[in-house]
Amino acid sequence: MKHIPHLTIGLVAAALALAAQAQALAPKDATEATRAANRALAATLPLADKRSFDDAKRGLIEALGDQAIMGPQGRPAWTLKGYEFLAKEEAPDTVNPALWRHARVNLGAGLFKVTDGIYQLRGFDLSNMTVIEGKTGLIIVDPLVTNETAKAALDAYYKHRPRKPVVAVIYSHSHVDHFGGVRGVVNGDDVAAGKVQIIAPAGFMEEAVGENVIAGSAMSRRAMYQFGPLLPRGEKGQVDAGLGKSGSLGTISLIPPTVLIEKTIETHRVDGVEIVFELTPGAEAPSELIMYYPQSRVLNMTEIATQNMHNLVPMRGALVRDALIWSKHIGGALQRYGAKSDVMIAQHNWPVWGTDRVQTFLKNQRDTYKFLHDQTVRLMNQGYVGAEIADAVKMPASLRADWSTYGFYGDLKHNIKAIYQRYLSYYDGNPANLAALPPVPAAQKAVDYMGGAAAVLQRARADFAKGEYRWVAQIGSQLVFADPGNQEARGLAADAYEQLGYQAESATARNAYLQGAADLRNGSPKVPAFVTQSPDVVRSLTLDMFFDYLGVRLNGDKAAGKTIVLNWQFTDVKQSYVLNLENSALTYVAGAQSETADATLTLTRATLDEISLQRTTFPAALQAGQIVVQGKREKVAELLGMLETFPNVFPMIEPRAAH
């Protein structure tokens, strides 16, 4: 009964930091084709518009600098050291010039005054922490990813402002970079005593805890590509993550909300501060809200309108988000708050000042998602498939004049394919793709049909010389899947990925390409076993979630023809379950017991949590009397023997090794 994974940027990055993985083969220079492409793009960009730089500096009280914020076991949880290369104004040949500009603006870090009574700590983590000064204390919006960075941010605020207690924390939504550092700014006892309110949108706990449980291991591995934590920081490596620089490596925490916002619009007075909460579900997160602060004329769009085009599905994986409802949420905010807002802030990136500029910003954000949605669906209804639409749709010049619409976090082509997937699924309507061969046999057949690897390589090198990197990446990938030991194919595919990364506007696409290139050259990273779950998060899992996750760990082949029924009794929480193995499927019924069960397990939820956190094992808990089994113990052991443990790392750009 192994651990339950919970994907977090910080925890994934922390585990990778433990690996201390050195890139054996160094990145290469930009080719002439890439240099020409980036120069041509630069000539089309509104580089004379410097307002973002001014906005990102406005209100600075004290800069963070590059000092380290220390985390567990004496390792740095966060530092901006390594980004000094971004001081140069002109983009190098190895970075898309639009992304280079964004990465430079995104480097602004420190304590900032937004307006009287509202401050932001930016650059202490992937997200921002907003501090609102109430009548008797502080209201914290989104306490970053980890306790260590949240505490450091609050300490930086206290250096310049009165040391009032925190009386409320607001979670804007259910992603970890907006709640994970809560114990860095408050303690659970004060919350339990009613001294601190924790305010969140309806459905917060279910989404915050459950989003990454079922597919957590796959998402964690894919997140290594999305955020690029193994890549060196530099002109040929990681330069940004779109919403911020990266994620912190510290301790994740979670305190359940004490107040839920359940109506579409609710107005609350929190420590004397009037806050209008508006729910925005179904867009960037399934449980999310925005806020308007009438006394200050400040609109907080949290994460549904930031200084870039967002993901409609992140590269780490998730359920596809609704571009249409996203646009409507932004349009509603524009209508209700745009004309009465002097400043717009978000929980990533930097603010926008001035009522006219706020309204323009919101219009362009609204229209970005509406344009993507409508044009994708228009072409979809004409019979185009996702890949065709992604190549056909170009952002209109009017939106390209606004830096905030660029795909620095979300990727234009990726977002278009996400919309197609949301409406029509992966299937493009061509029956040839209903039962297409999987990657390895398909690649082997294709290479064989094309005259063998040597002939394919010869032609692929010629196409690489012509700058046709997209095609070389595709055919190079097939060569690798046909024969992962073909070093020439691996090298050529890596070279193609790398040039695509150097040209990518999206920071996450760049990271994916460059990490893919590194894995082709050096093999998958050797990451040691690590515990990726937060105790707070594990304790917040419902037992239904636990048993759902147990089901996906069942090896169906091992379970074939087996039938096992187990009663579970959790004495401390007074909950009971029947777990049933039949037809190679593990199902359960809550609140029930079977009279014909093979065995009954009696334990506490606390013991289950200790096993999930790898602080003990099932056999050890059994031996210690923390688990009591009545009936056929061998049936319990038999079921546990059918459960798989998922790897921390698996190949992404080559076949899995045969077992």
Side-chain angles (χ1 to χ4, degrees), residues 336-453:
R336 282 182 282 280
Y337 316 114
K340 52 185 181 182
S341 297
D342 295 332
V343 190
M344 192 220 79
I345 61 174
Q347 295 306 123
H348 291 279
N349 307 128
W350 54 93
V352 177
W353 273 272
T355 303
D356 290 344
R357 288 187 62 208
V358 168
Q359 292 183 89
T360 298
F361 178 91
L362 292 173
K363 288 176 185 176
N364 289 347
Q365 287 279 306
R366 174 199 66 191
D367 294 347
T368 292
Y369 298 104
K370 190 64 161 62
F371 173 84
L372 286 178
H373 174 272
D374 290 356
Q375 296 310 304
T376 299
V377 174
R378 176 180 68 86
L379 293 174
M380 187 176 77
N381 282 325
Q382 293 179 12
Y384 290 81
V385 300
E388 292 173 317
I389 302 170
D391 252 23
V393 172
K394 311 296 180 190
M395 296 298 288
S398 56
L399 290 177
R400 288 290 287 182
D402 182 347
W403 287 107
S404 75
T405 70
Y406 283 57
F408 300 127
Y409 185 53
D411 176 76
L412 177 64
K413 293 181 186 298
H414 188 68
N415 278 346
I416 288 169
K417 293 174 184 177
I419 296 169
Y420 185 94
Q421 176 185 329
R422 181 178 176 85
Y423 283 103
L424 296 182
S425 83
Y426 84 96
Y427 176 49
D428 62 3
N430 183 344
N433 296 319
L434 276 175
L437 289 175
V440 170
Q444 290 171 338
K445 282 285 189 183
V447 171
D448 183 50
Y449 273 38
M450 289 186 282

Side-chain angles (χ1 to χ4, degrees), residues 223-241:
M224 298 178 193
Y225 272 52
Q226 177 173 337
F227 293 101
L230 271 184
L231 295 171
R233 294 174 177 179
E235 295 178 1
K236 296 179 182 177
Q238 201 263 9
V239 301
D240 203 69

Side-chain angles (χ1 to χ4, degrees), residues 491-643:
L492 185 61
D495 291 348
Y497 286 12
E498 189 168 62
Q499 297 305 315
L500 290 170
Y502 291 165
Q503 294 181 32
E505 178 178 285
S506 165
T508 54
R510 174 187 173 90
N511 293 337
Y513 282 128
L514 297 188
Q515 188 59 57
D519 285 4
L520 281 167
R521 289 170 178 154
N522 307 307
S524 294
K526 303 298 187 291
V527 178
F530 57 89
V531 178
T532 63
Q533 61 274 14
S534 154
D536 282 342
V537 172
V538 167
R539 294 182 188 115
S540 298
L541 287 167
T542 65
L543 286 170
D544 278 18
M545 291 176 181
F546 169 78
F547 286 114
D548 285 339
Y549 181 66
L550 218 58
V552 304
R553 289 182 53 208
L554 179 73
N555 184 312
D557 292 336
K558 289 183 179 179
K562 307 268 178 79
T563 300
I564 298 174
V565 179
L566 300 177
N567 287 333
W568 294 70
Q569 297 178 351
F570 297 92
T571 57
D572 53 344
V573 293
K574 306 275 192 297
Q575 288 183 271
S576 58
Y577 282 77
V578 179
L579 189 65
N580 184 73
L581 171 63
E582 193 173 10
N583 299 316
S584 293
L586 201 57
T587 60
Y588 61 87
V589 178
Q593 296 281 270
S594 169
E595 294 181 359
T596 58
D598 294 299
T600 296
L601 293 83
T602 303
L603 68 161
T604 63
R605 170 62 197 262
T607 296
L608 180 66
D609 291 342
E610 290 297 292
I611 294 171
S612 296
L613 290 165
Q614 300 184 56
R615 293 173 176 171
T616 188
T617 64
F618 190 92
L622 194 63
Q623 186 174 4
Q626 295 171 307
I627 300 175
V628 176
V629 178
Q630 294 175 303
K632 301 175 181 177
R633 282 195 173 203
E634 66 273 17
K635 287 291 187 179
V636 178
E638 185 179 10
L639 178 61
L640 295 181
M642 302 176 197
L643 302 180

Side-chain angles (χ1 to χ4, degrees), residues 121-355:
L121 288 305
R122 303 200 290 269
F124 284 76
D125 213 317
L126 182 70
S127 48
N128 299 335
M129 187 168 89
T130 300
V131 180
I132 303 169
E133 295 177 340
K135 185 177 180 181
T136 65
L138 305 178
I139 303 161
I140 302 292
V141 181
D142 291 353
L144 307 182
V145 179
T146 59
N147 295 342
E148 292 82 359
T149 54
K151 181 182 184 302
L154 186 58
D155 288 345
Y157 166 86
Y158 280 143
K159 281 179 64 178
H160 299 274
R161 300 297 298 162
R163 187 171 283 269
K164 292 182 177 181
V166 175
V167 297
V169 174
I170 300 171
Y171 301 147
S172 69
H173 63 285
S174 51
H175 293 156
V176 70
D177 48 326
H178 299 267
F179 67 78
V182 64
R183 291 190 188 273
V185 297
V186 297
N187 67 67
D189 291 341
D190 286 344
V191 176
K195 296 178 182 178
V196 180
Q197 288 183 307
I198 307 288
I199 303 169
F204 172 84
M205 283 300 288
E206 179 181 358
E207 299 298 339
V209 174
E211 182 187 32
N212 304 301
V213 171
I214 295 295
S217 293
M219 287 182 175
S220 295
R221 173 61 173 131
R222 290 163 63 111
M224 298 178 193
Y225 272 52
Q226 177 173 337
F227 293 101
L230 271 184
L231 295 171
R233 294 174 177 179
E235 295 178 1
K236 296 179 182 177
Q238 201 263 9
V239 301
D240 203 69
L243 294 175
K245 301 314 292 181
S246 185
S248 61
L249 318 181
T251 307
I252 305 292
S253 59
L254 173 61
I255 300 176
T258 60
V259 177
L260 288 178
I261 305 301
E262 298 184 285
K263 297 178 182 177
T264 301
I265 299 178
E266 294 185 21
T267 300
H268 291 242
R269 188 166 291 277
V270 183
D271 196 34
V273 178
E274 184 178 345
I275 302 177
V276 180
F277 295 96
E278 180 169 337
L279 296 177
T280 58
E284 192 272 334
S287 173
E288 188 159 8
L289 54 75
I290 61 173
M291 287 160 275
Y292 180 66
Y293 315 125
Q295 293 161 289
S296 304
R297 291 177 58 88
V298 173
L299 174 62
N300 188 343
M301 292 297 287
T302 63
E303 200 175 327
I304 72 166
T306 59
Q307 296 286 349
N308 41 203
M309 179 198 299
H310 211 290
N311 283 315
L312 294 180
V313 63
M315 293 181 190
R316 65 171 171 85
L319 297 178
V320 177
R321 298 156 183 174
D322 190 337
L324 183 58
I325 195 68
W326 199 320
S327 173
K328 290 179 179 179
H329 285 322
I330 298 173
L334 170 63
Q335 179 185 3
R336 282 182 282 280
Y337 316 114
K340 52 185 181 182
S341 297
D342 295 332
V343 190
M344 192 220 79
I345 61 174
Q347 295 306 123
H348 291 279
N349 307 128
W350 54 93
V352 177
W353 273 272
T355 303

